[in-house]
Amino acid sequence: MADTPDRSGEDPDEAIMRATYRALSTHGYADLTMQRIADEYGKSTAAIHYHYDTKDDLLAAFLDFVLGRFKDAVHDVETTDPEDRLELLLDGLLVKASEHTELLVAMLEMRAQAPYNDTFAERFRENDAYVRYLLETVIDQGIDAGAFADADAEHVARVLVTIVDGARTRAVVLGEETALSTARRAATEYLAATLDHRPAE
Amino acid sequence: MADTPDRSGEDPDEAIMRATYRALSTHGYADLTMQRIADEYGKSTAAIHYHYDTKDDLLAAFLDFVLGRFKDAVHDVETTDPEDRLELLLDGLLVKASEHTELLVAMLEMRAQAPYNDTFAERFRENDAYVRYLLETVIDQGIDAGAFADADAEHVARVLVTIVDGARTRAVVLGEETALSTARRAATEYLAATLDHRPAE
């Protein structure tokens, strides 16, 4: 979700993804139409259908795109220090999300459709597994390096994504402006208790 | 707008609420119609419209009903010990919810509509404020009684509802069967760290 410089301005897939982002942010999921995406794209719906058969195909690609942007941002993190990496991952999941509240609204609508839409459900499970893998890996590295206290890394990672998902849900449903910063503080407190990890001031 | 339903078996409001619960559990929110609620109620849609003008009026009353049931359950808790009450509240929010997974699915659909539906949004905010009030009160009581370490009770309550909301979202979106038990364990760990509270075995 992080904004990074446009690397391939001419790529129609990327241009359609950016148009989908704008259309979702403006109209939400329930009122999203191929026409509205085409309007943002600046071309006809036929130009979109050339790349994506259905709206759900396009939205599945969009979910992959959002995860891809997150992966890019993770790869751009240059430090290999487990403590710093864990902090940066949590900032990426909680702090940067606050810059994209309209997208959080549309994403919650899509998430609520997961029980009825296998394509969405599969994407959300894959994305969640990837984020948990990142967290668990950096926690295990920190434990191995002696930077963190010994802990059940798989459980700690699950608790962190639970806090992230709770904060994002609350930001949307309750319009709670402090939901993400409360969650960031909660993650810090939880990691101090379970990993004896205290971020540098 | 209907009055809060009482608990007498013959009350049409309560019978309609129970029919709404069954219809929501079976069909979800997006496919809910007055006809489907009437089918569960065993009467005509006119019999429902006599009590509720619109589907959204009925669903707003349903959200009040769900909170009312939770309040009843809280009042039925006989202990006044802050440590026991806190445990029972968390069990009510996380353990009992696992018995109503179909309702969690429909509730997440309704929650995702909050940015577009002021009536729903107002209910969700009221319900959340009530649950946080209960948690904050029992935490403050425990601090005053010396059972809990001194802490920011308002913040601790917010973290607990964030964990609850995260678990409920994950149970629905990811079909994660362990989401609620993971969250229950996380709440225990968080309270041990922040309140020095360790439930009796």
Side-chain angles (χ1 to χ4, degrees):
Chain A
M1 278 198 293
D3 277 319
T4 52
D6 193 341
R7 287 152 301 168
S8 51
E10 303 310 303
D11 180 351
D13 284 329
E14 170 134 1
I16 293 172
M17 291 298 104
R18 292 181 178 283
T20 304
Y21 171 85
R22 291 191 298 272
L24 269 177
S25 299
T26 305
H27 304 289
Y29 166 74
D31 290 334
L32 188 73
T33 59
M34 288 296 238
Q35 184 59 56
R36 285 177 161 163
I37 298 167
D39 289 346
E40 293 289 346
Y41 186 36
K43 299 194 181 181
S44 68
T45 54
I48 295 177
H49 280 296
Y50 180 80
H51 294 273
Y52 302 97
D53 281 343
T54 68
K55 189 173 79 171
D56 274 6
D57 285 343
L58 193 162
L59 287 172
F62 180 74
L63 293 177
D64 291 339
F65 172 76
V66 170
L67 181 66
R69 297 299 292 269
F70 179 76
K71 285 182 180 175
D72 288 346
V74 169
H75 287 159
D76 287 347
V77 171
E78 293 190 357
T79 177
T80 55
D81 176 73
E83 296 190 271
D84 290 346
R85 282 188 69 85
L86 183 53
E87 291 299 305
L88 290 166
L89 281 173
L90 290 170
D91 286 345
L93 292 166
L94 285 167
V95 181
K96 290 200 175 170
S98 66
E99 299 162 10
H100 300 273
T101 48
E102 298 88 356
L103 185 62
L104 289 183
V105 170
M107 290 290 271
L108 187 64
E109 289 181 83
M110 294 168 74
R111 285 163 76 90
Q113 289 305 306
Y116 311 101
N117 185 320
D118 289 342
T119 309
F120 287 2
E122 188 188 335
R123 251 65 180 194
F124 287 124
R125 278 195 292 267
E126 282 177 7
N127 292 9
D128 181 70
Y130 179 76
V131 171
R132 282 190 289 106
Y133 161 80
L134 288 175
L135 290 166
E136 194 176 330
T137 300
V138 76
I139 292 166
D140 273 331
Q141 286 170 344
I143 293 171
D144 289 346
F148 299 150
D150 196 21
D152 179 348
E154 199 264 339
H155 171 69
V156 173
R158 275 191 194 277
V159 173
L160 293 174
V161 289
T162 300
I163 291 170
V164 169
D165 285 336
R168 290 179 174 187
T169 297
R170 294 177 64 79
V172 171
V173 176
L174 307 172
E176 191 177 81
E177 288 183 16
T178 57
L180 295 165
S181 59
T182 295
R184 189 66 186 83
R185 179 176 161 196
T188 298
E189 293 165 335
Y190 183 77
L191 294 175
T194 52
L195 301 182
D196 199 25
H197 163 60
R198 286 171 178 79
E201 290 295 314
Chain B
M1 188 68 57
D3 292 327
T4 302
D6 66 33
R7 301 184 58 167
S8 68
E10 304 308 305
D11 180 347
D13 283 331
E14 169 134 1
I16 293 171
M17 290 300 106
R18 293 181 179 284
T20 304
Y21 171 84
R22 291 191 298 272
L24 269 176
S25 299
T26 305
H27 304 290
Y29 166 74
D31 290 333
L32 188 72
T33 59
M34 287 297 235
Q35 184 59 58
R36 284 178 162 162
I37 298 167
D39 290 345
E40 293 287 347
Y41 186 36
K43 299 193 181 182
S44 68
T45 55
I48 296 177
H49 280 296
Y50 180 80
H51 295 273
Y52 303 97
D53 281 343
T54 68
K55 189 173 78 172
D56 274 4
D57 285 342
L58 193 161
L59 287 172
F62 180 74
L63 293 176
D64 291 339
F65 172 76
V66 169
L67 181 66
R69 298 299 293 268
F70 179 75
K71 285 182 180 175
D72 289 346
V74 168
H75 287 158
D76 288 347
V77 171
E78 294 189 357
T79 178
T80 56
D81 176 74
E83 295 190 272
D84 289 346
R85 282 188 69 85
L86 183 54
E87 290 298 305
L88 289 166
L89 281 172
L90 291 169
D91 286 344
L93 291 166
L94 285 167
V95 181
K96 290 199 176 169
S98 66
E99 299 161 9
H100 301 274
T101 48
E102 297 87 358
L103 185 62
L104 290 182
V105 170
M107 291 290 271
L108 188 65
E109 289 180 83
M110 293 167 75
R111 286 163 75 89
Q113 289 305 305
Y116 310 101
N117 184 321
D118 289 341
T119 310
F120 287 1
E122 189 189 332
R123 252 63 180 196
F124 287 124
R125 278 195 292 265
E126 282 176 9
N127 293 8
D128 182 68
Y130 179 77
V131 171
R132 283 190 288 105
Y133 162 80
L134 286 176
L135 290 166
E136 195 175 329
T137 301
V138 76
I139 291 167
D140 273 331
Q141 286 170 344
I143 292 170
D144 289 346
F148 299 150
D150 195 21
D152 178 350
E154 200 263 341
H155 171 69
V156 173
R158 275 191 195 277
V159 173
L160 293 175
V161 290
T162 300
I163 291 171
V164 168
D165 285 336
R168 291 179 174 186
T169 298
R170 294 177 65 78
V172 172
V173 176
L174 308 172
E176 190 176 83
E177 289 182 16
T178 56
L180 295 165
S181 58
T182 294
R184 189 66 186 83
R185 179 176 161 194
T188 298
E189 293 164 335
Y190 183 76
L191 293 174
T194 52
L195 301 183
D196 199 25
H197 163 59
R198 287 171 177 80
E201 289 296 316

